[in-house]
Amino acid sequence: MITLRSSDGETFDLDEVVAVELQTIKNMMEDRCAESVIPVPNVEGKILAKVIEYCKKHVKRTAKAEEHALSDADLKAWDSDFIKLDQATLFDLIMAANYLDIKSLLDLLCQTVADMIKGKSPEEIRKIFNIKNDFTPEEEKEIRRENQWAFE
């Protein structure tokens, strides 16, 4: 059993088979840097709980006992439900997946963000992500002229 402690002090006990899904933790365990409780200083408890939930579900997919294994369709459906998150949680999860080096989770979350902006104008994207336009109208006109191909 491996224990992780989030940045806000919350602790999580998980099986080693789940812990090794988090590559950062796996590397610490292999290098014998892991103590009895492994601190995860960049991830809050509520986000770490979501990360662990994802890893547990994906470990079940590769479970050797076929009665516990999930089909690809079941896992895809579960992933679709899992990513229905508010924007702040989505971005916190992206940061956690990157820090903990969980490629499959990072890919899923980044694809979610890509789907959010697909086919949107720069103005719509700014509105979705609350990004301030710091270009003057003249600068924006020049950028659009230089990169006309991107605005077609």
Side-chain angles (χ1 to χ4, degrees):
M1 194 62 85
I2 306 295
T3 303
L4 303 180
R5 182 181 300 122
S6 66
S7 63
D8 53 358
E10 204 171 333
T11 58
F12 299 87
D13 293 323
L14 49 150
D15 293 327
E16 190 170 328
V17 70
V18 176
V20 298
E21 291 289 305
L22 295 81
Q23 290 298 308
T24 301
I25 303 304
K26 179 183 177 184
N27 293 341
M28 290 174 78
M29 290 166 48
E30 288 173 351
D31 295 342
R32 302 196 191 286
C33 296
E35 299 173 15
S36 59
V37 176
I38 302 171
V40 186
N42 296 358
V43 184
E44 290 181 358
K46 71 175 190 163
I47 300 301
L48 190 53
K50 293 290 286 177
V51 168
I52 292 168
E53 176 187 2
Y54 173 88
C55 290
K56 283 181 177 177
K57 189 59 78 169
H58 281 256
V59 164
K60 280 186 181 178
R61 177 178 184 255
T62 58
K64 289 194 168 61
E66 288 190 21
E67 71 239 23
H68 297 295
L70 292 171
S71 71
D72 287 342
D74 289 342
L75 192 62
K76 191 170 186 161
W78 186 88
D79 283 350
S80 292
D81 287 338
F82 180 80
I83 59 172
K84 293 176 182 169
L85 306 162
D86 62 85
Q87 228 177 69
T89 303
L90 179 67
F91 287 114
D92 285 346
L93 270 173
I94 288 172
M95 298 298 288
N98 185 51
Y99 173 71
L100 295 167
D101 195 12
I102 309 166
K103 185 180 179 343
S104 62
L105 178 57
L106 187 59
D107 289 348
L108 174 67
L109 297 169
C110 288
Q111 184 61 56
T112 302
V113 173
D115 291 344
M116 289 170 69
I117 64 174
K118 189 184 218 176
K120 303 275 194 290
S121 70
E123 292 78 19
E124 291 170 314
I125 295 169
R126 282 191 202 103
K127 186 175 181 179
I128 290 169
F129 297 116
N130 199 25
I131 300 171
K132 181 180 177 275
N133 184 0
D134 55 354
F135 291 114
T136 65
E138 296 78 28
E139 290 172 326
E140 190 168 348
K141 186 176 181 180
E142 179 65 18
I143 289 169
R144 285 179 184 271
R145 187 187 62 74
E146 290 174 359
N147 301 288
Q148 189 173 5
W149 59 269
F151 296 97
E152 294 174 351

